[in-house]
Amino acid sequence: MNTVTLTVKNAPELFLECENVNTDAFAGKKADQIAKLGAFQGKEITTLGDYFTITGEAGATAADTKIVINGDCTKMKYIGAKMTAGEVVVNSACDMYTGSWMKGGKLVVNGDVHSFCGLAMAGGEFTINGNAGNYLGAAYRGDWRGMSGGVLRVKGNAGSDVATFMTGGEMIIEGNVDIHLGTHMEGGKIILKGNANRRVGGQLVKGEIYVFGSINVMMPGYKPVRDVELEVDGTKAKFTEYLGDLGERHPKRKGETVYGHLYMKQ
Amino acid sequence: MPKDVTDVICPFCGTLCDDLIVTVSDDNKTILGVKNACAIGAEKFNHQRLPGRVTRPRMRQADGTFKEVSYDEAIDWTAKMLVKSRKTLMYGWASTSCQAMSIGHEIAEKVGGIVDNCATVCHGSSLIAIEDVGVPSCTLGEVKNRADRVIFWGCNPAHAHPRHMSRYSIFPRGFFTVKGHKGRKIYCVDCRYTDTAKCADEFIQVQQGYDYELLNAFRTAARGEALPDTVGGVPKEKIIEIVEDLKQARFGIIFFGMGLTHSMGRNHNIDIAINLTRDMNDFTKFAIMAMRGHWNVTGSGQVLGWQYGFPYAVDLSRRDQARHQTGETTSVDLLNRSEVEACFYIATDPGAHFPVDAMISSSRKPTVTIDPHIQCTTEISDLHIPVAMVGVETGGCAYRMDNVPIETRKVVEPPEGMLTDEQLLTRINHRVDELLAKGGA
Ligand code: SF4
């Protein structure tokens, strides 16, 4: 695997759209070719070379390419977005759309990410070693398909509207979340190690939510059904299982209605 | 001899009343009186003859004062600002005509602007919900002629849309609603006992911030599932009773306002209310409608939606694509994050409505405000360009809150030499073309 290192040399004045900073765009390119890839500040079209010092060269394919980014990326959007393979490590906080529409590979952010990260993620591994903003792993505005595959892990807290319209994959939040977790969920698995504010699993059709901490106000459409012993993300514990959201439509499989499941650690 | 102009459209709120009678002076220059309008609507017409109206553009000077400049100078300054800026916020549009908007959008495409309208601090959350789950809606005419169950949820038309109740939602006698008020059951759900609540047959007081939970409980009850004893302060027996009554409706309608769009959860509150409406359609006919505020904010959503597919916060800065993300391309976020380099405001007053931080950020950027009157935003702008009042001094198309287009009427002449929004934007557009042909500002 070949490594390309990007070091921020000029901070953008507005926000920089870095949709070319991913393994797929870099694959098969040398440092000088990468430096010529477009970067956008509003209507101004510049190049990655205007903002980064670039060393090393990419592998022949995305899978053979690793990108390491150093320097302040807090004003950079779309890092690692749409990547399909390979590895990206960002040693900074990032702005919006980091890792969105990701299909494969590994993305690690050693810092916080802003809102709309991991949107509609379909595969791969996305790890945030900091906090995440709102709409983590949710759907793009107006779309009804949020995260559908892969593993998204946040070491810190996440904001509100996390995993809206999630249809598959696994999300682990080690800290707390604000309101609206898993709204409109149609599949997949959310593991929340901390507490949720309110409105967990509202309008949820299918899928599983595991909560280790507490929920400030439980949705009226959830009903406790039984106690279960489970091993969740390496922790064995006793959980209370709820069915829900009973106010939402639910599909039938083999004549049986399929509900969503919420597990609260006892 | 003063004369009466009949069937005048009121350019104030989203109800867009179309039965006003305006008395104008002989020379067609002054409005002498307004009939049929409510107090706030009449005031809009009365503004036309207020003394001290600015009739020429004003440019901010180094010492902070304003100096009168010609329209030509103002147009040149604006066009240069737009061409130079890498990202420009072009906000407002809710109080101008759809024709003016389309010219504005043409400019935005050329200069890579972000077009946003007042929905961004108003019914934007309703629009997000509609993007997510669609909307079963109807016209106000259908409400008048058919509705026998009317729910006002988190809205107060008694103050915000004063003639809404008498023209459409509570009192009028319609084709199938011959008994008027007596044939309708009116519910009001709010955290406060409003003047609208006083007109309702039943007032349901929901604890602030519990609308989502209460709507969820309504849906759960409609499916015959069990409920907790109280939800948001409302006993479960009451919830079940109301849901059963709504199922008996021949035609039900939910009107909602800022109580849902701007309390905790915002778009989710509308989303679940839309889904309750959908559920109710399993039993009877039900519709839902946003109580849109500015008279033509709906029109801005229509024109943007038709042109770019998104009803507000449309980012055209990349020019080959239209993008839209509430939280990113919305005015307040753009200003708070300082993501734009210049501000172009038209037909609204963000200075009066935006959070202070956003306006502090705005005041540090080159700013042009196009508005008939002096208002908060004009006072922190570098350039104020006055224009004729749309719907009073010039006509143009507007959309009522139920998405019905209505052509507004000109009732008096604008002050001598004053441009309309359409004329002004057309000239800015030409100047932008000239500058771009030359290769920039
Ligand atoms: S209700 Fe609205 S449109 Fe009708 S007169 Fe009053 S302000 Fe004008």
Side-chain angles (χ1 to χ4, degrees), chain A residues 98-177:
Chain A
T98 307
S100 291
W101 304 284
M102 190 174 158
K103 288 206 177 69
K106 213 169 140 190
L107 172 61
V108 180
V109 176
N110 292 316
D112 298 344
V113 296
H114 208 285
S115 302
F116 312 114
C117 293
L119 282 192
M121 172 176 174
E125 250 178 83
F126 181 12
T127 307
I128 300 157
N129 286 317
N131 300 318
N134 305 325
Y135 289 96
L136 180 74
Y140 190 73
R141 231 12 118 194
D143 200 338
W144 61 97
R145 294 153 300 190
M147 178 173 174
S148 62
V151 181
L152 203 168
R153 187 182 285 270
V154 189
K155 289 283 163 72
N157 303 323
S160 57
D161 293 283
V162 171
T164 306
F165 286 107
M166 182 171 182
T167 64
E170 184 173 344
M171 183 186 290
I172 307 111
I173 302 140
E174 301 194 2
N176 305 322
V177 294

Side-chain angles (χ1 to χ4, degrees), chain B residues 85-313:
Chain B
S85 161
R86 286 177 288 186
K87 225 176 184 182
T88 309
L89 172 60
M90 299 177 76
Y91 170 78
W93 312 101
S95 294
T96 188
S97 65
C98 295
Q99 289 88 340
M101 291 167 198
S102 72
I103 305 167
H105 301 170
E106 201 180 320
I107 299 173
E109 281 187 35
K110 289 175 191 165
V111 303
I114 298 178
V115 185
D116 197 10
N117 59 41
C118 303
T120 206
V121 284
C122 188
H123 272 288
S125 28
S126 315
L127 297 169
I128 303 176
I130 293 169
E131 286 168 6
D132 283 346
V133 293
V135 66
S137 199
C138 64
T139 64
L140 288 170
E142 285 179 271
V143 173
K144 173 185 165 184
N145 288 309
R146 294 174 188 276
D148 62 347
R149 297 291 188 286
V150 181
I151 305 170
F152 294 104
W153 200 309
C155 61
N156 188 9
H159 289 238
H161 302 84
R163 297 183 70 213
H164 190 277
M165 302 190 294
S166 58
R167 281 173 61 85
Y168 305 112
S169 50
I170 300 186
F171 303 108
R173 294 166 197 271
F175 196 82
F176 299 110
T177 50
V178 282
K179 288 197 198 142
H181 186 196
K182 288 203 191 79
R184 293 192 177 92
K185 174 130 193 195
I186 314 293
Y187 292 98
C188 178
V189 188
D190 211 302
C191 55
R192 295 168 304 156
Y193 187 61
T194 61
D195 283 332
T196 302
K198 288 178 193 157
C199 304
D201 297 300
E202 190 140 3
F203 170 58
I204 299 112
Q205 188 155 26
V206 56
Q207 211 178 321
Q208 191 173 8
Y210 280 79
D211 301 272
Y212 187 81
E213 282 85 353
L214 185 57
L215 283 157
N216 182 239
F218 273 52
R219 295 189 71 201
T220 308
R223 284 168 205 275
E225 300 282 356
L227 286 178
D229 290 344
T230 62
V231 178
V234 184
K236 78 170 171 202
E237 294 74 24
K238 189 89 236 163
I239 295 170
I240 294 166
E241 180 195 314
I242 296 169
V243 168
E244 290 311 315
D245 179 56
L246 295 181
K247 288 181 184 173
Q248 304 307 316
R250 280 186 297 146
F251 185 109
I253 172 86
I254 303 173
F255 289 109
F256 64 92
M258 297 296 105
L260 279 193
T261 63
H262 281 272
S263 57
M264 185 196 251
R266 296 178 171 84
N267 56 308
H268 297 288
N269 301 333
I270 318 302
D271 180 321
I272 198 164
I274 290 173
N275 274 298
L276 171 67
T277 310
R278 186 186 66 181
D279 293 349
M280 282 296 137
N281 276 290
D282 288 344
F283 306 99
T284 177
K285 171 77 187 160
F286 237 86
I288 182 165
M289 194 184 297
M291 297 288 264
R292 304 305 298 273
H294 282 70
W295 60 281
N296 199 20
V297 67
T298 313
S300 177
Q302 286 283 349
V303 180
L304 282 172
W306 179 73
Q307 292 191 306
Y308 307 111
F310 304 113
Y312 73 114

